[in-house]
Amino acid sequence: MLTSFLRPLLDPFTLLLMLLVLLASLWPASGQAALWVAGLTSAAISLLFFLHGARLSRQALWNGLTHWRLHGWILGCTFIGFPLLVLLGQPLLRPWLGEGLWQGLLYLAVLPGTVQSAIAFTAIARGNLAAAICSASASSFIGLLLTPLLVQLVLNTQGDAFPFWPAVGGISLQLLLPFVIGHLLRPWIGTWVQSQQSWLKRVDQGSILLVVYSAFSAAVVAGLWQSVSLMQLLGLTLICCLLLALVLVGTRWIARAQGFSREDEITLVFCASKKSLATGAPMAPFIFVGAAAGPVLLPLMIYHQIQLVVCAYLAQDYAQRPIKHDNAALSPTGEKN
């Protein structure tokens, strides 16, 4: 059990992510080097979303769409419940964290859920896998359009300006357009893309690492570590832990109050509690220009690691409990076969 709990912390990608933050802190890209890094990052992100579009299976989505009530709760928790929880804590959290980290926490709250980890944890815990595939994929796609709008809404409530249309234009050209093109080409390249999972994982992780290094380099050059204290980082970590705990407890309560099966409860818990670094990192530079993207990414990076550790333990705990009719996890509607 201890090994399962610690494995996400010892994951090579997690260690590389921490190393890139350290590297950007000691040797940030600036001047001409920053332009090269930005160009390479943009190309990697476009390639990533092109491949995601080619990999997305319409059949898997269609198989899960019939369970609309479960999907409604998952999307509601992801795009409504999360922001409300953070906004309710504004009187305490905003003065404590400072403006940059507070905006990062708001950004975290309006992001879509993960795809890979949500599905993987649902599978380990023996949940409704078809519904998880549908909800996680739909959340990721909807987030490309909805997240900029939600950022505008929550920042406008704080009286801050937000370049909504430039952000939407940048996201559409660099993220959404490659995604749509990749999906349209799926009949010709889909099989090959599906057979290249290890290579796709490297592109996925490599693009995130480039975004993190680029964003943190700009933030460090602008004085990030002079404006963010150790106490703020510790406080942010505590807040992320509390936020995840509230969402996990809340989604489990919702599932039982709604009379969902054990398999559907697992899907709701794991799909509605995740926030996607793979989507959030590429979108941040379009929404928070320049050095502002660095502190904005800190809450997402911290929450991302915490959710992996906690949900790895929780998935193992679910898996060890006796469940009747395990084949219900393969049912699109979550009904007992």
Side-chain angles (χ1 to χ4, degrees), residues 65 189 235 311:
L65 280 173
I189 65 173
C311 290

Side-chain angles (χ1 to χ4, degrees), residues 25 89-90 135 192 237 299 324:
S25 300
Q90 178 194 345
S135 282
W192 178 83
T237 302
K324 296 180 180 180

